[in-house]
């Protein structure tokens, strides 16, 4: 009789184990093949409030970007494609300031500016874009200022001065993340201003780069009077491409690896409306480089005007592009079909570092070479 009871117990155990195993496997399959709701996708983009969701939908409707109620891999990649076309409108190797306005950007300008502000792309960010970020922090090992055209670098430098003087921030290091982008008259100042920078470094005007401009601005800033440790990440161009946020942060990771314990916490400085976009880029690069750097991104406000929709839409489209690999991984979605593979390659193939981070159903051996 006892043997019979033990036999029944063993059978019951295996029956329950088999049931649970099937549930787990079935649940995994459902997650991989299912679609996320539009609301869930917007939550993953940190557009969590009803006001923000309505703002995103209004902007997409204005730009004639369709928004399905449920989105799988194909629909999410198509959202990137649509927003690249209707928001960013930027060709390969084209600078942001070289892009043209699309017709929809001239309509409902005041309403659109308000909606972009609702998404958090306008107001100054002092403690990081993520809403779930840990409590407000004012002490960091380093402030890392991202390079840009001259006027933006000046604003970013002034913003850091404001953080120190008005907001009580403290840093041991100032890091300039910049590179060898050639200076451009009209973008980086007048011919006379560029000549003045060239004279400061005893070089020809034609030799002036973004890095020279950034170092010059730092020399003239109040930060230079605080006796902080100073580091310049001066990244060269490669194969006809100028340095980018990606390449400068990668070089910074190399420096961090060579100097362990020097900088463990950093506040990166961008400017609106690009704080969210550059947050996504920095987050992905640090993850790919196995960096333990704890970071946040802050940035000065952006003042919308009558011609600001192009800039704001471009920044939003760039953020969606940069955040989508994280979004796909978040929902456990995989790139599987030939159509999805072709679309992924078209959207991300020119950036192998982010292309290889996409969640493929099978390990992709067809990784584009670095342009």
């Amino acid at each position: 009789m006892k043997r019979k009871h033990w036999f029944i117990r063993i059978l019951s155990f295996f029956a329950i184990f088999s049931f649970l195993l099937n549930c787990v496997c079935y649940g995994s399959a459902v997650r991989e093949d299912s679609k996320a709701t539009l609301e869930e996708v917007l939550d993953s983009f940190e557009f969590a409030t009803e006001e923000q969701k309505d703002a995103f939908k209004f902007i997409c409707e204005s730009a004639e970007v369709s928004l399905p109620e449920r989105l799988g891999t194909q629909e999410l990649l198509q959202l990137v494609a649509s927003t690249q076309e209707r928001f960013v409108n930027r060709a390969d190797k084209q600078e942001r300031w070289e892009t043209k306005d699309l017709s929809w950007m001239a309509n409902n300008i005041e309403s659109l500016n308000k909606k972009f502000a609702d998404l958090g792309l306008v107001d100054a960010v002092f403690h990081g874009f993520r809403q779930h970020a840990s409590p407000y922090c004012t002490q960091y090992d380093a402030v890392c200022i991202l390079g840009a055209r001259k006027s933006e670098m000046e604003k970013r430098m002034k913003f850091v001065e404001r953080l120190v003087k008005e907001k009580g921030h403290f840093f041991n290091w100032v890091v300039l993340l910049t590179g060898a982008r050639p200076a451009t008259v009209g973008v980086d100042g007048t011919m006379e201003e560029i000549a003045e920078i060239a004279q400061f470094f005893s070089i020809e005007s034609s030799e002036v780069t973004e890095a020279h401009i950034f170092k010059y601005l730092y020399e003239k800033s109040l930060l230079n009077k605080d006796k902080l440790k100073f580091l310049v990440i001066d990244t060269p161009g490669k194969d006809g491409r100028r340095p980018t946020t990606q390449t400068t942060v990668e070089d910074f990771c190399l420096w961090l690896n060579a100097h362990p314990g020097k900088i463990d916490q950093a506040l990166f400085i961008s400017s609106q409306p690009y704080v969210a976009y550059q947050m996504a880029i920095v987050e992905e690069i640090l993850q790919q480089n196995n960096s333990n750097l704890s970071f946040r991104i802050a940035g000065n406000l952006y003042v919308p005007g009558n011609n600001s929709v192009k800039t704001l839409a471009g920044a939003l489209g760039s953020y969606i592009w940069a955040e989508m690999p994280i979004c796909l991984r978040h929902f456990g979605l995989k790139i599987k079909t030939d159509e999805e593979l072709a679309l992924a390659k078209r959207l991300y193939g020119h950036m192998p570092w982010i292309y290889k981070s996409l969640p493929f159903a099978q390990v992709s051996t067809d990784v584009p070479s670095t342009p």
Side-chain angles (χ1 to χ4, degrees), residues 9-27:
R9 287 178 182 178
I10 291 170
L11 284 178
S12 299
F13 170 79
F14 279 109
I16 293 170
F17 178 78
S18 177
F19 172 77
L20 292 174
L21 183 62
N22 285 334
C23 286
V24 170
C25 293
Y26 174 76

Side-chain angles (χ1 to χ4, degrees), residues 124-143:
V125 177
F126 296 107
H127 59 280
F129 180 77
R130 295 288 191 193
Q131 293 186 6
H132 56 71
S134 53
Y136 187 77
C137 179
T138 57
Q139 295 196 18
Y140 298 87
D141 295 324
V143 58

Side-chain angles (χ1 to χ4, degrees), residues 85-186:
E85 178 184 349
R86 300 294 293 165
F87 289 6
V88 180
N89 188 34
R90 182 180 174 188
D92 189 30
K93 296 188 180 181
Q94 187 179 31
E95 298 289 356
R96 288 191 179 95
W97 54 82
E98 296 173 334
T99 60
K100 304 294 183 184
D101 286 34
L102 297 173
S103 59
W104 72 270
M105 297 174 178
N107 303 321
N108 301 320
I109 293 174
E110 186 174 342
S111 296
L112 284 167
N113 284 341
K114 165 82 167 53
K115 299 302 181 182
F116 284 114
D118 290 341
L119 293 180
L121 302 180
V122 170
D123 292 340
V125 177
F126 296 107
H127 59 280
F129 180 77
R130 295 288 191 193
Q131 293 186 6
H132 56 71
S134 53
Y136 187 77
C137 179
T138 57
Q139 295 196 18
Y140 298 87
D141 295 324
V143 58
C144 302
I145 312 174
L146 294 161
R149 54 183 174 176
K150 181 172 177 283
S151 59
E152 286 301 316
M153 292 191 290
E154 287 178 304
K155 290 176 185 177
R156 292 174 187 183
M157 203 78 73
K158 293 290 185 184
F159 182 69
V160 175
E161 292 176 0
R162 181 185 173 195
L163 290 178
V164 172
K165 302 300 181 184
E166 298 179 19
K167 301 293 182 178
H169 282 61
F170 176 81
F171 314 102
N172 291 317
W173 291 78
V174 172
V175 180
L176 305 184
L177 295 169
T178 183
R181 175 182 65 82
T184 303
V185 175

